[in-house]
Amino acid sequence: MKTKRIYKILILLFIFNSSCKENAKVNTEIKADGIEQKVTSLLAKMTLEEKIGQMNQYNGFWDVTGPTPSSGDAAKKYEHLKKGYVGSMLNVRGVKEVKAVQKIAVEETRLGIPLIIGFDVIHGYETLSPIPLAEAASWDLKAIKKSAEVAAKEAAAAGINWTFAPMVDISRDARWGRVMEGAGEDPFLGSKIAVARVEGFQGDDLSSSETIAACAKHWAGYGFSESGRDYNTVDIGTSTLNNIIFPPFKAAADAGVKTFMNSFNELNGIPATGNAFLQRDILKGKWNYDGFVVSDWGSINEMMAHGFAEDKKGAARLAVTAGSDMDMESYAYVDELANLVREGQVDEALIDDAVKRILRVKFELGLFDDPYKYCDSETEKEVIGSKEINDAVLDVAKKSIVLLKNENQLLPLKKRGQNIALIGALAADKTSPLGSWRIAAKDSTAVSVLEGMQQYSENKLTYAKGADLVYGETTFAKELNINMSDKSGFLEAISVAKNADVVVMVLGEHGFQSGEARSRVDLDLPGVQQELLEAVYAVNKNIVLVLNNGRPLAITWADKHIPAIVEAWQLGTQSGHAIAQVLYGDYNPSGKLPMSFPRHVGQVPIYYNYKNTGRPVIPAPNEVFWSHYTDESNKPLYAFGHGLSYTTFSYSNLKISKVNEEEVKVSVDITNTGDVQGKEVVQLYIRDLVASITRPVKELKGFELIDLDPDEKKTINFVLTKNELGFFDNSGVFVFESGDFKVFVGGSSETVLEQDFEL
């Protein structure tokens, strides 16, 4: 019944004239004013096969400027391209290649419809910013927007006009490798960052040759994969779906993101690619979204493995009916949809709806006005790797670093007169800092920590590897070979450390240990690194531990023993310069964690905005009947929002005043009580004490990044409206209920001030 109802609605909404069969190129013939008229006019010229072709996306399948393929899968794709049966390609990059493939689409097909060229511009193209989780740690929305802006500019210079980013999945599970690609565990922060990245990629004018279309992914629930295992089942309640998972997607949609990508997981027993509730009812229905939805790689065919589709034909029918507009590398639409329409199993109105959405984005990109607008070889030479882009990625890299611990002010390092030992394979690595999503970046192009620290030449700096982290080939598609036994370099590292005033140890994960398909059950330092850390500690306790990683790690031993710990993530091209400037105090760290760090992997998933439960506290000494572990604390090692500075801040004078029956004003004073200038992220949380649906113990509802000189005080004001104080019920309806609330303000989710109010 639901399918019939969807068909009727679509037929009423989309009635097109399909009788026109003109043969001339559409680029020069479309005269109608306005994009909608142009889309409708073009649609009327298209055969069913040409419409379906627009819904078909192929991966780059041959060296376009080389010999034409004559056999096999590549030859089939090439013939489809010439017939106009391809609407998009991905992983074709560089002006020469993009221009060649675009030329076929525009000049050799009947209607000359340009391709949209997609690419995983996740945190940069060739010049890389920090991984997105690291950028989220900056809490600096302007810097995050700028990072996306320069990534778009560099990608556009290489012929790309569509990125499969931002990933806006909320996740509470550090075992899931793709946490590195998102903004962490909180929907409020995640929503703000989603908007910043969409605006950075797409700019104010999508038709500019320096902007590209963005893609909000993965719709929806992917970050809640069971056991943190990638591609796994998702089974969650409607409250979590509406209040945690949906908000960043809604924020991206409201910001005008041009495309969505559906996810690999199932939700309520239905794979997202074939999920009409997600794509028809919510996205295109309730939210009135007018962009298009692309499947993730091969996910239409994967519905057969899920046990949801019997065969490829059934998968194509289910996907298009559910609202998946473009098929990425399943070949299901191009092979099956035409017959499904002719057999009456799929209404052509569904095809028209999808194609209209795809064409609209192509018109908005300006591809019909100039299909080669992204294909200027001189611009490519000038922009890629330019000083402007390197300066921007260095700026956001410094802002992404989080100072986790700094006992006895071991940091910043002195700029002269110190004998410093630098230890760890990652300290000299020029590839790992690029992270997991670095398809266009060349190996060995990151500035290493060793190179960054060598710029401060007035100190004596001695490097020792200590131990390899990985052996052999390191690639995106293959498992890594982690060093689990070779400690032959320990003696050199110990010898160097004995004679040092300070030891800087760079440990953590290789760039390919997080990301897609990189789930882990062990969140400790991989390989023999923990043993190396303890061996060095035995001879010199003045250690600064610099972490390179793509996810929260369980570093309980280090927290107990190591005096200074710096979370430096995988910071991209300018990694070493950013880390060195923070270590030496040329940049005062200001980052705050976007995900909680566990004490032990057994606590995962762990997150600050948990529910109180019916038994939240110890009933009496030594009694067991409360929600806890018998062998570990409930608390994280480092809380969401945690991050120190080389100065200190005090919070005082929290005031709440009612503006009206639905709004309150919150003010607080923050003072720099230290000796140096610093930045602080002032964080505001609320708790709805009694509600029709239980609410978390704390929810982030406001933050502001401020800059304070020593002894300077600022008053920060927040206004809480029903938008911040309300929530979604289990039917997906937003509600605002009167009652008692708490406000918490401080420098992390472990806030220092709180006050009650009633509305």
Side-chain angles (χ1 to χ4, degrees):
M1 292 299 291
K2 178 182 279 189
T3 301
K4 291 181 179 178
R5 175 170 55 83
I6 291 171
Y7 285 172
K8 289 178 181 178
I9 293 170
L10 290 169
I11 291 168
L12 289 172
L13 289 174
F14 304 103
I15 300 176
F16 303 109
N17 175 11
S18 59
S19 61
C20 184
K21 298 181 180 179
E22 299 178 31
N23 293 319
K25 298 301 181 187
V26 68
N27 309 42
T28 58
E29 283 205 351
I30 295 176
K31 305 296 184 182
D33 293 329
I35 286 177
E36 293 307 309
Q37 289 175 300
K38 292 177 181 179
V39 168
T40 302
S41 177
L42 176 54
L43 194 70
K45 304 174 188 293
M46 300 173 73
T47 65
L48 176 61
E49 284 77 10
E50 287 168 337
K51 292 176 185 178
I52 293 167
Q54 288 300 300
M55 302 167 68
N56 180 35
Q57 182 184 59
Y58 283 149
N59 180 44
F61 49 91
W62 93 102
D63 180 359
V64 188
T65 56
T68 301
S70 57
S71 62
D73 188 52
K76 176 184 176 181
K77 290 181 175 181
Y78 175 69
E79 287 304 314
H80 283 177
L81 183 62
K82 292 186 69 175
K83 290 180 178 179
Y85 294 175
V86 183
S88 174
M89 292 184 68
L90 74 157
N91 295 333
V92 178
R93 60 186 174 92
V95 163
K96 186 177 180 181
E97 294 292 305
V98 171
K99 191 170 185 177
V101 76
Q102 192 72 282
K103 185 179 178 71
I104 296 171
V106 172
E107 299 182 22
E108 296 186 36
T109 65
R110 188 180 77 89
L111 293 175
I113 301 174
L115 299 167
I116 182 170
I117 304 294
F119 197 76
D120 285 294
V121 187
I122 305 303
H123 53 105
Y125 177 68
E126 186 172 306
T127 310
L128 297 184
S129 291
I131 60 173
L133 185 65
E135 286 193 346
S138 75
W139 294 54
D140 189 327
L141 300 177
K142 291 182 180 178
I144 294 170
K145 179 179 177 180
K146 180 66 175 179
S147 173
E149 184 181 304
V150 298
K153 184 174 182 177
E154 192 174 68
I160 309 301
N161 45 50
W162 180 24
T163 175
F164 304 122
M167 189 188 91
V168 301
D169 295 297
I170 298 300
S171 183
R172 299 161 164 175
D173 195 332
R175 294 172 299 180
W176 189 52
R178 295 194 82 164
V179 297
M180 58 76 61
E181 199 177 337
E185 72 187 45
D186 182 72
F188 184 87
L189 177 62
S191 296
K192 298 292 185 183
I193 291 174
V195 172
R197 299 197 74 207
V198 168
E199 291 179 346
F201 285 129
Q202 296 188 169
D204 298 326
D205 179 11
L206 193 62
S207 66
S208 165
S209 60
E210 295 185 350
T211 61
I212 59 180
C215 181
K217 66 183 189 184
H218 305 84
W219 181 245
Y222 191 34
F224 279 71
S225 297
E226 283 188 358
S227 307
R229 195 171 76 240
D230 210 351
Y231 318 125
N232 203 10
T233 299
V234 171
D235 192 1
I236 52 174
T238 53
S239 181
T240 298
L241 186 66
N242 287 303
N243 290 290
I244 304 298
I245 292 172
F246 279 177
F249 287 99
K250 183 62 164 64
D254 290 345
V257 70
K258 294 302 174 184
T259 65
F260 267 56
M261 180 184 289
N262 53 42
S263 52
F264 287 119
N265 58 276
E266 66 173 52
L267 187 69
N268 290 329
I270 301 175
T273 309
N275 197 309
F277 166 73
L278 288 174
Q279 296 173 120
R280 292 279 184 210
D281 296 352
I282 301 297
L283 183 61
K284 297 178 179 180
K286 186 176 181 180
W287 295 359
N288 197 30
Y289 179 69
D290 66 357
F292 71 85
V293 179
V294 61
S295 77
D296 209 335
W297 185 291
S299 69
I300 294 179
N301 278 350
E302 288 175 12
M303 290 194 290
M304 291 184 281
H306 276 283
F308 187 66
E310 183 178 0
D311 52 22
K312 185 165 72 171
K313 186 174 182 179
R317 176 180 56 79
L318 288 164
V320 74
T321 302
S324 188
D325 300 309
M326 183 178 282
D327 175 3
M328 180 193 291
E329 277 292 310
S330 277
Y331 320 132
Y333 284 178
V334 73
D335 289 347
E336 305 292 347
L337 274 187
N339 286 335
L340 284 166
V341 171
R342 293 188 179 104
E343 293 168 4
Q345 294 191 53
V346 169
D347 195 299
E348 192 167 352
L350 293 173
I351 309 296
D352 290 346
D353 176 32
V355 176
K356 192 173 184 180
R357 292 168 180 273
I358 294 164
L359 293 176
R360 184 185 296 122
V361 174
K362 292 185 178 184
F363 274 108
E364 290 171 337
L365 282 165
L367 291 172
F368 284 95
D369 296 324
D370 181 4
Y372 307 113
K373 60 181 293 187
Y374 293 92
C375 298
D376 187 310
S377 57
E378 290 304 313
T379 299
E380 185 178 32
K381 292 175 186 176
E382 292 170 4
V383 170
I384 294 179
S386 67
K387 183 178 184 301
E388 174 201 0
I389 292 176
N390 273 285
D391 287 348
V393 302
L394 174 59
D395 179 67
V396 73
K398 291 185 291 189
K399 293 173 177 176
S400 301
I401 293 172
V402 183
L403 181 61
L404 297 177
K405 184 181 178 185
N406 192 23
E407 284 184 356
N408 304 317
Q409 285 72 55
L410 187 57
L411 290 175
L413 301 173
K414 296 175 183 178
K415 292 184 180 177
R416 58 179 60 87
Q418 279 191 317
N419 180 5
I420 299 174
L422 178 62
I423 295 173
L426 290 174
D429 200 316
K430 294 172 60 62
T431 299
S432 177
L434 298 173
S436 183
W437 284 108
R438 53 180 180 86
I439 305 172
K442 299 179 177 68
D443 286 350
S444 299
T445 54
V447 178
S448 70
V449 177
L450 175 59
E451 290 171 325
M453 293 186 70
Q454 285 171 338
Q455 301 302 306
Y456 295 82
S457 56
E458 294 189 46
N459 278 324
K460 180 182 178 182
L461 179 68
T462 307
Y463 170 69
K465 180 170 63 174
D468 286 310
L469 174 56
V470 297
Y471 295 137
E473 184 183 30
T474 58
T475 66
F476 180 75
K478 298 290 181 66
E479 299 286 358
L480 297 181
N481 186 9
I482 306 297
N483 172 25
M484 301 300 294
S485 59
D486 183 4
K487 306 174 191 176
S488 58
F490 275 30
L491 289 178
E492 180 190 9
I494 291 168
S495 175
V496 168
K498 280 181 180 178
N499 300 317
D501 298 317
V502 180
V503 180
V504 176
M505 298 190 71
V506 184
L507 307 176
E509 297 179 310
H510 187 275
F512 282 141
Q513 280 189 278
S514 60
E516 184 172 350
R518 260 64 181 213
S519 298
R520 293 181 61 197
V521 297
D522 185 350
L523 296 181
D524 298 340
L525 293 170
V528 298
Q529 291 180 106
Q530 180 64 36
E531 295 170 83
L532 176 63
L533 178 61
E534 293 183 28
V536 172
Y537 178 80
V539 299
N540 192 333
K541 293 178 172 51
N542 284 334
I543 296 176
V544 177
L545 173 59
V546 177
L547 294 172
N548 284 180
N549 45 295
R551 52 158 61 85
L553 298 177
I555 53 166
T556 307
W557 186 93
D559 177 71
K560 183 178 180 180
H561 295 90
I562 305 302
I565 304 176
V566 176
E567 176 51 83
W569 313 103
Q570 286 138 6
L571 293 176
T573 303
Q574 290 292 324
S575 179
H577 287 320
I579 292 168
Q581 288 180 32
V582 166
L583 292 180
Y584 280 104
D586 284 343
Y587 187 86
N588 189 352
S590 56
K592 302 280 188 176
L593 293 179
M595 284 191 77
S596 304
F597 274 45
R599 296 176 181 274
H600 188 279
V601 69
Q603 294 175 300
V604 174
I606 187 169
Y607 46 98
Y608 85 93
N609 50 349
Y610 58 88
K611 298 292 187 72
N612 207 38
T613 81
R615 295 188 176 186
V617 294
I618 304 174
N622 297 320
E623 288 194 11
V624 299
F625 301 109
W626 64 291
S627 181
H628 73 298
Y629 302 102
T630 61
D631 54 356
E632 185 54 271
S633 167
N634 286 0
K635 291 186 176 182
L637 183 63
Y638 302 116
F640 173 84
H642 170 74
L644 305 177
S645 169
Y646 294 150
T647 190
T648 54
F649 302 95
S650 69
Y651 287 74
S652 61
N653 202 26
L654 177 63
K655 294 181 180 178
I656 299 176
S657 57
K658 186 183 293 186
V659 177
N660 54 49
E661 293 304 315
E662 295 181 347
E663 295 183 356
V664 296
K665 178 181 177 182
V666 180
S667 65
V668 66
D669 294 339
I670 299 95
T671 304
N672 183 342
T673 53
D675 298 327
V676 296
Q677 174 271 342
K679 295 178 181 178
E680 172 72 337
V681 181
V682 183
Q683 301 165 45
L684 179 145
Y685 300 80
I686 69 162
R687 181 177 179 186
D688 187 345
L689 294 175
V690 179
S692 56
I693 294 175
T694 58
R695 307 304 303 135
V697 295
K698 282 182 182 176
E699 296 179 85
L700 180 70
K701 292 298 180 181
F703 64 90
E704 187 167 338
L705 178 62
I706 62 172
D707 200 334
L708 293 174
D709 291 325
D711 298 322
E712 183 181 3
K713 179 173 73 175
K714 286 184 180 179
T715 300
I716 304 301
N717 296 303
F718 298 96
V719 176
L720 296 173
T721 70
K722 63 181 180 181
N723 292 327
E724 289 77 38
L725 299 171
F727 57 90
F728 288 93
D729 67 16
N730 288 335
S731 298
V733 176
F734 189 82
V735 296
F736 170 69
E737 298 175 346
S738 60
D740 295 325
F741 296 82
K742 278 186 179 292
V743 164
F744 311 85
V745 180
S748 79
S749 58
E750 295 180 338
T751 48
V752 296
L753 298 175
E754 65 179 76
Q755 193 168 323
D756 298 335
F757 69 92
E758 181 182 358
L759 278 181

